[in-house]
Amino acid sequence: MGLPNSVKVKAQTAPVQNVLVLLIRQLRPQQWTKNLLVFAALLFSFRRVDMDVGGKAILAFFLFCFVSGCVYILNDFVDIKNDQNHPEKRFRPMASGALNPFLALTFGALLLIVSLSVAFSVNTLLGFVLLVYFLLNCANSLKLKHVVILDVMIISAGFVLRAIGGGLAIGTPLTPWFLLCTMLLALFLAISKRRHELQLLQAEKGSHRKVLEFYSTELLNQFNTIVTTATIISYSLFTFTSGRTIQLMWTIPFVIFGIFRYLYLIAMSGKGGSPEKVLLEDKPILITVLLYVVTVAGILYFFE
């Protein structure tokens, strides 16, 4: 793939001492909060947590962080020209010209090989889940992200694979109801992200992300209405039918408030483009998530 001359020149003049920092930035550690979903199985297995189980969950978390970082490298390499025209993405290491794109690709390939090797050595099924996660996201970066509706469904599938991977790492499979809730919540975040991009780039939406040509704010609002309703219903059914204590129903208000708060931020504050930023910067949502985790752990510890 050809690169703009400006990118090539800037990449060649990047100080050697900054290369490691740029490579770490290219892995987008600020987005690693998405991989916290790996710990969902650990949370719902609170009573049997020990050092060994906790260590495996942490290992799975970092494996997903590294593999997702490899996906970001490929995605930024493919989208380098579009990113240079984006008001925010143009500051990324490759798009800005600070990092040599081919050096980043080489680094990503080595990191991917090491990560997959470790995953397969720990648990064969975990290795396959990580491999599927990588291939699915590669297909998304190269082609599927330009296919309307399928683009947000691929993002949702990535979250489900994270949850499954976390369960495999500690030997505790999650119930179908929980995976359904994960899929729907991820769809909600993906649709909200598209809505934010559409609002941000309304004037020339097709020149930044082709798939935005096929969306409208009204359509995405309808999608969110359907998905949020299904999420609340599915989670409520999960608390009653998962085979765990029925006391989990007390966590339903946290889920409802969290969704409503996110919708409020989308509609009234123009946020939603980066779920990881919303989680860390919006205190009501952060407090809600922490209270949810503490409440689930407490209920499972005292009532099971």
Side-chain angles (χ1 to χ4, degrees), residues 223-235:
F223 284 172
N224 258 347
T225 299
I226 295 170
V227 170
T228 52
T229 302
T231 302
I232 294 172
I233 293 174
S234 297
Y235 184 78

Side-chain angles (χ1 to χ4, degrees), residues 128-188:
F128 276 115
V129 167
L130 270 170
L131 180 59
V132 170
Y133 173 83
F134 176 75
L135 294 176
L136 184 66
N137 280 279
C138 284
N140 185 53
S141 295
L142 297 174
K143 181 66 178 179
L144 299 183
K145 67 182 178 181
H146 302 305
V147 182
V148 65
I149 299 178
L150 190 59
D151 63 319
V152 293
M153 295 189 71
I154 294 297
I155 295 174
S156 176
F159 279 90
V160 174
L161 288 173
R162 289 178 175 99
I164 293 174
L168 290 171
I170 66 173
T172 303
L174 294 169
T175 66
W177 275 115
F178 186 84
L179 295 178
L180 176 61
C181 294
T182 300
M183 181 193 74
L184 290 170
L185 185 59
L187 269 177
F188 167 63

Side-chain angles (χ1 to χ4, degrees), residues 54 57 81 102 107 118 120 152 159 162 171 176 186 217 234 240:
K81 291 183 179 180
F102 298 101
F107 171 73
V118 172
F120 275 105
V152 293
F159 279 90
R162 289 178 175 99
T217 302
S234 297
F240 287 102

Side-chain angles (χ1 to χ4, degrees), residues 182-210:
T182 300
M183 181 193 74
L184 290 170
L185 185 59
L187 269 177
F188 167 63
L189 295 176
I191 292 168
S192 300
K193 183 180 177 68
R194 286 290 178 271
R195 187 186 186 282
H196 176 80
E197 291 173 337
L198 193 62
Q199 295 292 95
L200 185 65
L201 309 171
Q202 189 70 51
E204 9 179 20
K205 57 184 180 181
S207 65
H208 296 290
R209 189 184 289 275
K210 293 179 182 179

Side-chain angles (χ1 to χ4, degrees), residues 25-44:
R25 280 182 54 201
Q26 185 57 58
L27 295 177
R28 301 190 203 172
Q30 72 274 14
Q31 297 197 22
W32 286 2
T33 51
K34 297 176 182 177
N35 297 311
L36 290 174
L37 190 58
V38 168
F39 294 108
L42 190 68
L43 174 62
F44 284 92

